[in-house]
């Protein structure tokens, strides 16, 4: 896929046509959730909320990996960075997330070896070039990134690399969507399903969710025309009173997904119950490294135990991640919690709902 | 959480840098010239108006497509002076070199500096060299300072933009930041992306020769055009509206920003400028810029308004509106 090809999905003419269709068809007041943080960012970057008719409310969901990482996991990452001889490698988003008493960014200023990488293969490279040290990659993400992390573990095994480890805090999207629907206070009429996650797991992965709840759901891409198209499909479903599971991102997402990526992911990880920030424990929603790969499992190799922590008082990240509250309803938003001095992860991650609201709707 | 140490974020050119400078670095030295917080200081000596500027260069890697730390250090200070409306004249150079640095690399850097000074028409008239033990600095750091003369009729500063001013951008954005990043990370995406590092003093001179109605000049280096526009909106107490579809960006650069999740509005440029020009003269200045070898792709990207002082808004391609805020966090460290 070239950028030129992508440009077509940014074509103002196409977007305007879809928007006109939405405006014509949308009569009922509806609440739609964009599950994925990258959708949230694109909605803001393109000013989509402002051009939609008043009938449509867009709420952001739990699809920001850093935001649903628990305080305990963040504290464990920080503790890991303090272990002698350890190099921590991570995607950049995690650096500024506040733990109970510190952040990786502050630990780095204190002299801990914490490096931002762009892929797990950069992390492998760090391990290879520093044989006297132990390199740990912080695995935070959904089905989108978990396969490449799994592939790095397989590669490390093949290379007989004995100083590379992964701390797996990966989470799975469909179980979280079930959990959203089960909550009594959840009122969403339709979902824009995550595009990147669906590239890996395919439309099939949402069949059981859809079969159970029959809520209008459309897989959406990330360009303005993609998002508007998915909204238009949801409007059509809701106006006609039909609920369907549809693929609005057919140039990238298939019914089966990427079978090879899934095979690698499930070969290295097993599905376990996991705790999500703001949402609590969700059955079968996390990925743990299988026993066969135990020598690469940072949670087994390093003795990291951190005291149970509580989420900061007043922080509404949980309700915001579930689309029950918007950032404006949080007493901390803009008052004490800003991107410069964040309280909760939703204000830090570039995909976080609060950060997006703050950045694009102004202080 | 209280911050007790300097974080890399403090060097981003965004909110944290601004906080560190205004809360801590300015107070002990505060005076009216310093408080302008322009690219360079502007002051009078014996009836002559001078611009004086300094900048340190710590770019990693020191060699990148389109340039190296040497020409960057010359062009950077030349441009800072030009953004004051000055004709850059004399530069100083300070080197901090790490023990073990190859002399062949030093030679390459010096030759680029020589070439850059020639191209910009400036002279290096004083300098200093220090060598530190291995590990105490990363290869080589360069500081340059410079002075220039400001012609009588010229009055340019960050606080002088007015509602109605058109905003000229002299070419594509984000080339330098992405060139350095891809080189540093060893990313190969087809043909290499080149830094846009270039001296802009001749362009500024021609602009000023055709028009006295230029109010603000800024080279959007670290922090990109997003940060530069925010600073101007704040100092001039005006609102700014820009149009996404007018902003030039290379296909490859846009693609890499997309892949890495970087917003090109906040990625550094080293050979572009933003000019706030009175509306009646904007087309004339634009034509002059386009005649310059570094301004062929120049466009008007927006205008200043009286409403929403201090804020920058962007009309998106699909007709939406978004705020362009100051950068928080470190988008790319050590790009200059």
């Amino acid at each position: 896929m070239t950028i030129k090809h992508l440009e077509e999905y940014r074509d103002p003419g196409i977007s305007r046509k879809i928007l006109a269709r939405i405006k014509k068809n949308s009569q009922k007041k509806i609440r739609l959730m964009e599950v994925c943080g990258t959708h949230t960012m694109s909605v803001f970057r393109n000013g989509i909320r402002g051009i939609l008719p008043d009938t449509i409310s867009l709420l952001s969901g739990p699809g920001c990996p850093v935001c649903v990482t628990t305080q305990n996991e963040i504290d464990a990452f920080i503790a890991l960075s303090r272990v002698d001889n350890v190099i921590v490698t991570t995607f950049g988003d995690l650096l500024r997330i506040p733990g109970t008493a510190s952040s990786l960014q502050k630990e780095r200023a204190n002299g801990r070896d914490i490096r931002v990488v762009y892929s797990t293969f950069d992390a492998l490279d760090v391990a290879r070039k520093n044989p006297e040290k132990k390199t740990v990659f912080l695995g935070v993400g959904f089905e989108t990134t978990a396969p490449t992390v799994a592939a790095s573990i397989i590669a490390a095994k093949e290379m007989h690399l004995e100083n590379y480890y992964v701390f797996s805090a990966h989470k799975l999207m469909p179980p979280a969507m079930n959990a959203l629907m089960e909550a009594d206070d959840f009122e969403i009429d339709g979902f824009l399903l995550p595009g990147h996650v669906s590239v890996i797991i395919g439309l099939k992965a949402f069949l059981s969710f859809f079969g159970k709840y029959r809520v209008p759901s459309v897989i959406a891409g990330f360009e303005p025309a993609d998002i508007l198209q998915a909204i238009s499909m949801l409007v059509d479903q809701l106006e006609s009173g039909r609920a369907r599971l549809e693929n609005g991102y057919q140039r990238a997402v298939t019914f089966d997904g990427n079978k090879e990526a899934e095979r690698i992911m499930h070969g290295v990880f097993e599905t376990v119950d996991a705790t999500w920030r703001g949402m609590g424990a969700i059955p079968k929603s996390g990925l743990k490294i299988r026993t066969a790969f135990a020598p690469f499992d940072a949670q087994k190799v390093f003795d990291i135990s951190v005291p149970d922590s509580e989420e900061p008082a007043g922080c509404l990240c949980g309700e915001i991640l579930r689309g029950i509250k918007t950032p404006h309803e949080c007493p901390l938003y803009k008052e004490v919690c800003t991107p410069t001095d964040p309280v909760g992860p939703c204000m830090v991650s570039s995909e976080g709902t609060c950060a997006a609201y703050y950045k694009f709707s102004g202080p | 959480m209280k911050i007790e140490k300097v974080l890399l974020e403090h060097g981003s050119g965004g909110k944290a840098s601004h906080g560190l400078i205004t809360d801590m670095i300015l107070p002990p030295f505060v005076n009216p010239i310093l408080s302008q917080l322009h690219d360079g200081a502007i002051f009078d000596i014996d009836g002559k108006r001078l611009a004086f500027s300094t900048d340190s260069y710590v770019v990693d890697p020191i060699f990148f497509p389109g340039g190296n730390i040497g020409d960057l250090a010359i062009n950077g200070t030349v441009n800072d002076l030009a953004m004051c409306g000055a004709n850059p004249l004399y530069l100083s150079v300070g080197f901090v070199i790490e023990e073990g640095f190859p002399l062949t690399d030093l030679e390459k850097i010096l030759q680029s500096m020589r070439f850059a000074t020639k191209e910009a028409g400036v002279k290096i008239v004083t300098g200093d060299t220090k060598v530190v033990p291995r590990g105490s600095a990363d290869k080589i750091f360069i500081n340059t300072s410079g002075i220039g003369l400001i012609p009588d009729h010229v009055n340019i500063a960050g606080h002088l933009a007015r509602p109605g001013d058109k905003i000229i951008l002299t070419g594509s954005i984000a080339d330098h930041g992405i060139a350095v990043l891809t080189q540093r990370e060893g990313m190969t995406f087809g043909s290499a992306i080149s830094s846009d590092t270039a001296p802009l003093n001749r362009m500024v001179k021609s602009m000023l020769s055709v028009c006295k109605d230029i109010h603000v000049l800024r080279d959007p280096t670290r922090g990109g055009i997003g940060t530069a526009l925010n600073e101007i909106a704040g100092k001039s107490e005006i609102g700014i509206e820009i149009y996404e579809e007018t902003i030039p960006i290379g296909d490859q650069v846009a693609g890499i920003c997309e892949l890495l999740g970087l917003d090109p509005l906040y990625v550094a440029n080293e050979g572009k400028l933003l000019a706030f020009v009175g509306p009646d003269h904007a087309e004339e200045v634009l034509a002059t810029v386009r005649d310059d070898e570094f301004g062929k792709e120049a466009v008007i990207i927006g205008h200043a308004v009286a409403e929403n002082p201090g804020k920058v808004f962007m009309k998106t391609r699909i007709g939406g509106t978004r705020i362009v805020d100051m950068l928080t966090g470190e988008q790319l460290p050590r790009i200059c």
Side-chain angles (χ1 to χ4, degrees):
Chain A
M1 190 163 46
T2 66
I3 298 305
K4 283 276 185 235
H5 174 60
L6 266 185
E7 284 288 306
E8 295 164 20
Y9 297 88
R10 291 172 192 168
D11 184 328
I14 295 174
S15 292
R16 280 192 198 118
K17 272 187 205 153
I18 305 172
L19 184 64
R21 187 181 151 81
I22 293 172
K23 285 183 173 162
K24 191 172 128 238
N25 295 348
S26 178
Q27 309 292 330
K28 293 182 198 161
K29 274 209 173 286
I30 54 172
R31 289 161 60 88
L32 306 179
M33 174 177 273
E34 86 272 357
V35 176
C36 167
T38 314
H39 281 150
T40 303
M41 280 298 288
S42 184
V43 163
F44 275 103
R45 276 174 98 149
N46 292 293
I48 289 178
R49 269 198 179 77
I51 57 174
L52 288 176
D54 295 341
T55 42
I56 302 173
S57 305
L58 264 186
L59 291 129
S60 308
C64 156
V66 162
C67 305
V68 295
T69 302
T70 61
Q71 187 105 337
N72 264 69
E73 285 166 330
I74 304 287
D75 286 345
F77 297 160
I78 291 165
L80 197 54
S81 78
R82 292 174 176 166
V83 176
D84 282 346
N85 234 12
V86 160
I87 302 174
V88 167
T89 55
T90 172
F91 294 144
D93 255 14
L94 269 178
L95 274 190
R96 302 174 63 246
I97 307 289
T100 305
S102 183
S103 69
L104 289 170
Q105 174 176 250
K106 286 183 187 171
E107 293 300 318
R108 188 171 66 180
N110 282 333
R112 310 295 173 195
D113 197 343
I114 297 164
R115 305 184 191 184
V116 172
V117 291
Y118 289 95
S119 88
T120 47
F121 285 84
D122 294 343
L124 276 180
D125 217 39
V126 171
R128 223 174 5 222
K129 287 180 180 153
N130 297 278
E132 73 294 352
K133 299 214 166 169
K134 296 174 174 176
T135 297
V136 183
F137 179 76
L138 304 180
V140 166
F142 299 122
E143 292 91 334
T144 330
T145 48
T148 63
V149 179
S152 77
I153 292 175
I154 292 172
K157 191 169 185 176
E158 283 168 0
M159 287 188 282
H160 304 291
L161 206 55
E162 285 171 5
N163 64 332
Y164 177 72
Y165 313 88
V166 169
F167 189 121
S168 176
H170 292 101
K171 296 190 168 56
L172 301 173
M173 215 63 241
M177 306 222 14
N178 290 328
L180 281 176
M181 293 301 297
E182 291 296 335
D184 295 336
D185 47 0
F186 187 70
E187 287 173 6
I188 289 292
D189 302 305
F191 285 102
L192 279 86
L193 297 178
H196 292 146
V197 164
S198 302
V199 169
I200 306 292
I201 64 178
L203 186 77
K204 66 162 190 333
F206 294 98
L207 284 176
S208 101
F209 161 78
F210 181 75
K212 194 164 174 195
Y213 300 104
R214 310 300 291 182
V215 56
S217 303
V218 176
I219 295 175
F222 299 93
E223 298 307 325
D226 290 321
I227 291 176
L228 289 170
Q229 177 62 27
I231 291 172
S232 176
M233 289 160 83
L234 287 169
V235 166
D236 290 350
Q237 288 192 34
L238 286 159
E239 290 297 333
S240 67
R242 286 171 302 151
R244 292 168 60 180
L245 171 62
E246 294 182 292
N247 184 358
Y249 193 26
Q250 296 198 359
R251 70 178 186 280
V253 175
T254 61
F255 180 81
D256 285 328
N258 185 331
K259 284 184 175 169
E260 181 62 11
E262 279 204 290
R263 190 186 63 76
I264 291 170
M265 177 169 76
H266 293 302
V268 173
F269 297 118
E270 60 184 312
T271 308
V272 291
D273 299 347
T275 305
W276 292 52
R277 190 184 178 115
M279 299 179 69
I282 302 177
K284 303 273 174 209
S285 69
L287 291 175
K288 195 182 101 182
I289 296 173
R290 288 184 185 277
T291 318
F293 295 94
F296 301 96
D297 187 345
Q299 278 147 293
K300 291 209 176 107
V301 174
F302 298 93
D303 183 25
I304 300 291
S305 58
V306 290
D308 277 345
S309 60
E310 287 191 8
E311 288 172 15
C315 174
L316 292 189
C317 267
E319 281 91 335
I320 291 164
L321 288 168
R322 294 192 294 130
I324 291 165
K325 296 249 164 82
T326 63
H328 294 290
E329 294 171 86
C330 176
L332 306 186
Y333 178 69
K334 286 187 187 176
E335 299 294 327
V336 257
C337 183
T338 64
T340 324
D341 196 8
V343 177
C346 298
M347 187 54 99
V348 185
S349 167
S350 61
E351 294 185 359
T353 308
C354 298
Y357 268 72
Y358 191 98
K359 185 168 179 214
F360 295 118
S361 49
Chain B
M1 247 188 293
K2 207 168 161 272
I3 291 167
E4 284 159 353
K5 297 200 174 168
V6 174
L7 306 176
L8 266 179
E9 185 181 354
H10 286 118
S12 69
K15 273 189 183 158
S17 310
H18 200 252
L20 182 72
I21 291 167
T22 49
D23 298 345
M24 202 160 169
I25 299 180
L26 278 187
F29 312 113
V30 74
N31 64 62
I33 301 173
L34 181 62
S35 301
Q36 296 168 357
L37 288 182
H38 198 45
D39 280 339
I42 297 172
F43 48 86
D44 286 10
I45 295 181
D46 289 342
K48 295 275 185 212
R49 281 175 71 224
L50 291 176
F52 178 36
S53 182
T54 188
D55 213 332
S56 299
Y57 297 83
V58 298
V59 63
D60 170 36
I62 52 175
F63 295 101
F64 46 83
N68 63 51
I69 191 170
D71 43 20
L72 193 67
I74 301 298
N75 291 337
T77 292
V78 163
N79 291 347
D80 281 349
L81 292 169
M83 298 310 124
C84 301
N87 293 321
L89 296 170
Y90 301 114
L91 265 54
S92 72
V93 176
F95 295 103
V96 177
I97 308 173
E98 186 188 14
E99 174 192 19
F101 187 67
L103 285 176
T104 49
D105 284 354
L106 183 60
E107 179 61 25
K108 266 191 234 167
I109 291 167
L110 294 171
Q111 285 306 322
S112 319
M113 292 176 83
R114 185 178 72 93
F115 183 78
T117 51
K118 232 171 136 182
E119 189 159 345
V122 294
K123 286 192 169 66
I124 292 173
V125 292
T126 182
D128 176 57
T129 307
K130 296 281 192 297
V131 177
V132 297
R134 193 184 281 275
S136 301
D138 188 7
K139 298 187 258 311
I140 183 167
F141 297 154
I142 303 178
N143 171 276
T144 52
S145 299
I147 54 169
L149 267 177
I150 302 175
D152 284 339
H153 63 273
V154 173
N155 190 19
I156 285 169
H159 65 277
L160 296 176
R162 302 170 201 166
D165 279 358
K166 299 279 186 198
I167 305 165
I168 295 172
L169 168 67
T170 59
S172 59
I173 59 167
D175 297 325
H176 176 74
I178 296 301
V180 169
L181 179 76
T182 49
Q183 184 73 9
R184 182 195 308 165
E185 305 298 337
M187 297 174 186
T188 44
F189 298 94
S191 59
I193 291 160
S194 280
S195 165
D196 58 347
T197 178
L200 299 172
N201 52 325
R202 280 184 222 284
M203 181 196 288
V204 169
K205 202 172 173 184
S206 350
M207 290 165 76
L208 291 170
S209 71
V210 298
C211 176
K212 295 182 175 48
D213 202 15
I214 298 173
H215 306 138
V216 181
L217 291 171
R218 260 304 295 274
D219 57 337
T221 53
R222 188 181 54 174
I225 66 168
T227 303
L229 290 172
N230 266 285
E231 285 175 1
I232 295 165
K235 281 188 198 160
S236 295
E237 295 174 18
I238 48 148
I240 289 177
E241 279 180 22
I242 55 173
Y243 297 91
E244 185 176 22
E245 58 196 331
T246 61
I247 300 171
I249 178 165
D251 288 346
Q252 280 205 60
V253 172
I256 290 167
C257 286
E258 181 103 29
L259 272 176
L260 300 179
L262 299 171
D263 189 337
L265 293 180
Y266 300 100
V267 180
N269 311 278
E270 290 289 345
K272 302 290 157 36
L273 67 81
L274 291 160
F276 282 63
V277 184
D280 299 337
H281 298 98
E283 289 298 331
E284 189 186 2
V285 174
L286 182 65
T288 309
V289 172
R290 283 184 177 160
D291 283 342
D292 189 277
E293 64 171 310
F294 303 121
K296 291 189 173 61
E297 290 178 59
V299 281
I300 292 175
I301 60 162
H303 57 269
V305 294
E307 301 80 51
N308 299 307
K311 299 236 164 80
V312 181
F313 290 88
M314 181 159 85
K315 278 266 177 226
T316 69
R317 293 185 212 216
I318 60 164
T321 305
R322 70 173 247 209
I323 283 227
V324 178
D325 193 14
M326 286 277 263
L327 182 65
T328 311
E330 41 170 295
Q331 190 155 261
L332 301 173
R334 286 185 66 185
I335 38 84
C336 60

